[in-house]
Amino acid sequence: MIPITEENKSIAMDIAQEAFIDNPSMLWFLKKDSEKQKRMRALCEYCIDMSIEKRGAFLANDLNGVILIYIYNSRVSILKSIAITFRLIMNCSGWMKVPALARRNYLSKNS
């Protein structure tokens, strides 16, 4: 496994975007408009950036797969987390999905 860095992040984003572009579990979060590709890329970037911050973002050795795995409650700088999340909301979902995301997060922590 190769750690994802700024130098190889675009490769990882291409792989993730291709894998999830038609995945209903990912699509529910995207704003419904004509910019599906752009919004999916922003969602993949968020996932990869958060995983990089938690030291859990890797490319497969053959550069054909992405692995995002980390300890769930590992700490990320609060300012970095806010910046990454704000970018996600602005480029991917819009403010209307924030309550749904908060509810989903609450349910996953309490189930």
Side-chain angles (χ1 to χ4, degrees), residues 13-68:
M13 287 179 49
D14 291 343
I15 294 166
Q17 183 176 4
E18 183 180 336
F20 293 117
I21 195 65
D22 292 318
N23 184 315
S25 295
M26 299 290 273
L27 291 175
W28 79 269
F29 188 69
L30 302 183
K31 185 186 270 187
K32 308 299 185 247
D33 63 11
S34 63
E35 298 184 9
K36 177 180 165 184
Q37 295 280 341
K38 176 185 156 206
R39 296 190 189 288
M40 179 57 73
R41 189 154 186 93
L43 181 54
C44 291
E45 183 176 23
Y46 169 81
C47 294
I48 290 169
D49 284 347
M50 289 302 281
S51 296
I52 288 171
E53 288 298 311
K54 294 181 177 193
R55 315 261 187 283
F58 304 94
L59 277 168
N61 289 334
D62 63 3
L63 302 180
N64 285 321
V66 174
I67 301 133
L68 304 177

Side-chain angles (χ1 to χ4, degrees), residues 45-103:
E45 183 176 23
Y46 169 81
C47 294
I48 290 169
D49 284 347
M50 289 302 281
S51 296
I52 288 171
E53 288 298 311
K54 294 181 177 193
R55 315 261 187 283
F58 304 94
L59 277 168
N61 289 334
D62 63 3
L63 302 180
N64 285 321
V66 174
I67 301 133
L68 304 177
I69 184 167
Y70 53 83
I71 298 171
Y72 176 72
N73 60 355
S74 58
R75 298 284 179 206
V76 175
S77 156
I78 189 70
L79 292 177
K80 184 77 167 182
S81 178
I82 290 170
I84 293 169
T85 304
F86 183 76
R87 191 174 64 221
L88 172 73
I89 292 168
M90 296 305 295
N91 295 322
C92 180
S93 66
W95 292 101
M96 299 303 291
K97 292 286 185 177
V98 173
L101 184 61
R103 182 174 55 251

